[in-house]
Every structure is written in structure tokens, then in C-alpha cells.
């Protein structure tokens, strides 16, 4: 009895460090899944100060987060800046047009909300509908461009339309990620600012990995007509 008790105590002592290391690895894994989206989101926020640069910055964020998930690339903050140059020229015209269109929709909604009458209500609903369509489309565009950096802007746009609207569940998931992220990230200091862009594109990357391309021709292999 006296010999068995010390042996049991030794086994118990040896099990504690293993459990502690396992818990530590689990915690570090969770912190990594928070830290890299935060760093990528911070880089996106800096690059978006150019106003019309938000779409290339969003694609660069998607590209960097994909490299982190697929290849273990941990330089997510600087990675967004490095990838930004790849997307600035092809996506800048799209970004300018989208910025103008989204701004016009926002102004129309703000103007019509206080109005009464059936026509004003229809116009508000139409503007809100267009806004709800634009959100998942642009997230999908960034995800597709980030996944296929050698593609062209027109090929990215075609693939993004399929990705966002080819399935109700995909479009709903992308839209839900954009809406839910600012709410759930309030517990983190500056969370909505740092995670507003990175979490939706990260969700989109996961969905795209599980979905694949609609055919064997990826945007990398499609050229402009």
C-alpha cells in the first residue's frame, strides 16, 4: 500500500504538465485565430483611408488570410500591404464605381426615410434591396480575387456573382457575417473596426474551400475577352 501510493502520486504529477500543455496549446490556437484577423483588419483599415481603395484592400486581406490558413503564413499585417499592389490596378475602377453607387444608395435612403407615401416606401425598399445585394457580392469578389490572384477583374466578377448568388445559403452566410461581426466583436477593444472586414472574408474563404469553383476553369485560367 505504501509503495503504490507514491507511484500513483508520481503518475498524477506527470499527468498535470501534459494537461497544462494541452490547455496552453488550445488557448494559443484560439488566440491565433483572433490575432491574425485583427492584424489583417488593422492593415485593411489603414489602406482604406484612401476611400476608394477599400475594395483592393479587402481583396488583399482575403489573399493574406488565405495564405495564413493554407500555408501557415503568419505575417498577416505586412502581408496585406504586400498583396495590396496586386489588386490596386485591376480593382480600382470597380472600387470607384462601387463607392459612388453605395454612397448614392446611402444618400437616397437617408433622404427617403423621413418621407411618407407609397412611392417613398417603394424607393426605400428598392435601395435597401440593392444594398443587401451589394454587400455579399463585394465580399465574394474579394474572396475570389484573394483566392485566385492571377485572374482578371472580369473573371473575378463573374465568379463572385456565382459565389454570392448561386446559392441562397452562401449569400445569406456572407451577408450574415457582415451584419453579425460588428455586434459580436464589441467585446474586443476596437473590435468592429479591426474585424469588420477580416471576419466576413475569412468566412467566405472557408465557404469557398468547401464549395469549389462552379467548373474546372478557375478565374486564374480565364482571360478577358
Amino acid at each position: 500500500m505504501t509503495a503504490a501510493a507514491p507511484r500513483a502520486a508520481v503518475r498524477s504529477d506527470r499527468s498535470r504538465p501534459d494537461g497544462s500543455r494541452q490547455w496552453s496549446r488550445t488557448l494559443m490556437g484560439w488566440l491565433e485565430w483572433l490575432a491574425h484577423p485583427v492584424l489583417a483588419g488593422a492593415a485593411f483599415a489603414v489602406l482604406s483611408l484612401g476611400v476608394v481603395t477599400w475594395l483592393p484592400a479587402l481583396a488583399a486581406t482575403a489573399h493574406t488570410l488565405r495564405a495564413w490558413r493554407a500555408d501557415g503564413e503568419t505575417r498577416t499585417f505586412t502581408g496585406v500591404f504586400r498583396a495590396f499592389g496586386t489588386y490596386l490596378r485591376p480593382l480600382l475602377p470597380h472600387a470607384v464605381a462601387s463607392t459612388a453607387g453605395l454612397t448614392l444608395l446611402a444618400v437616397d435612403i437617408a433622404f427617403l426615410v423621413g418621407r411618407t407615401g407609397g412611392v417613398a416606401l417603394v424607393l426605400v425598399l428598392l435601395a435597401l434591396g440593392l444594398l443587401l445585394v451589394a454587400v455579399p457580392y463585394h465580399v465574394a469578389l474579394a474572396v475570389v480575387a484573394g483566392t485566385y490572384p492571377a485572374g482578371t477583374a472580369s473573371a473575378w466578377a463573374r465568379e463572385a456573382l456565382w459565389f454570392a448568388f448561386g446559392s441562397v445559403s452562401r449569400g445569406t452566410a456572407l451577408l450574415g457575417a457582415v451584419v453579425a461581426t460588428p455586434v459580436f466583436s464589441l467585446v474586443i477593444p476596437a473590435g468592429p473596426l479591426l474585424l469588420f472586414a477580416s471576419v466576413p472574408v475569412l468566412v467566405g474563404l472557408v465557404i469557398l474551400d468547401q464549395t469549389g469553383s462552379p467548373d474546372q476553369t478557375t478565374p486564374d485560367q480565364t482571360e478577358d475577352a
Side-chain angles (χ1 to χ4, degrees):
M1 295 294 293
T2 57
R7 284 197 295 270
V10 170
R11 286 196 298 269
S12 177
D13 289 342
R14 287 176 179 173
S15 66
R16 287 196 199 97
D18 293 339
S20 177
R21 284 194 293 270
Q22 181 63 34
W23 180 87
S24 178
R25 286 194 295 268
T26 302
L27 178 61
M28 291 302 295
W30 281 106
L31 289 177
E32 183 181 20
W33 271 88
L34 175 63
H36 290 298
V38 165
L39 291 171
F44 167 82
V46 173
L47 290 171
S48 296
L49 293 176
V51 183
V52 295
T53 55
W54 62 272
L55 186 56
L58 193 63
T61 301
H63 177 86
T64 303
L65 289 176
R66 183 179 184 276
W68 163 60
R69 291 183 64 247
D71 306 322
E73 175 58 62
T74 57
R75 294 172 295 180
T76 45
F77 182 79
T78 56
V80 175
F81 287 92
R82 289 196 302 271
F84 179 71
T86 302
Y87 300 103
L88 179 59
R89 185 172 180 178
L91 287 180
L92 188 59
H94 199 318
V96 172
S98 295
T99 301
L102 292 172
T103 301
L104 182 61
L105 283 177
V107 170
D108 288 344
I109 293 172
F111 176 76
L112 293 169
V113 162
R115 304 287 175 172
T116 58
V119 175
L121 178 60
V122 170
L123 291 176
V124 168
L125 293 177
L126 178 61
L128 287 174
L130 291 174
L131 189 61
L132 293 177
V133 168
V135 169
Y137 165 72
H138 286 95
V139 174
L141 178 60
V143 169
V144 170
T147 303
Y148 306 111
T152 61
S154 59
W156 292 334
R158 288 192 297 269
E159 181 87 353
L161 288 171
W162 164 83
F163 183 49
F165 307 117
S167 167
V168 174
S169 59
R170 287 199 302 267
T172 303
L174 295 176
L175 180 61
V178 173
V179 174
T181 297
V183 177
F184 288 102
S185 61
L186 287 172
V187 296
I188 303 172
L193 174 64
L194 298 176
L195 296 173
F196 176 75
S198 56
V199 169
V201 297
L202 188 57
V203 170
L205 288 168
V206 173
I207 297 173
L208 185 60
D209 285 346
Q210 297 174 349
T211 304
S213 183
D215 53 43
Q216 298 302 314
T217 303
T218 67
D220 276 356
Q221 301 166 320
T222 305
E223 297 182 355
D224 281 325

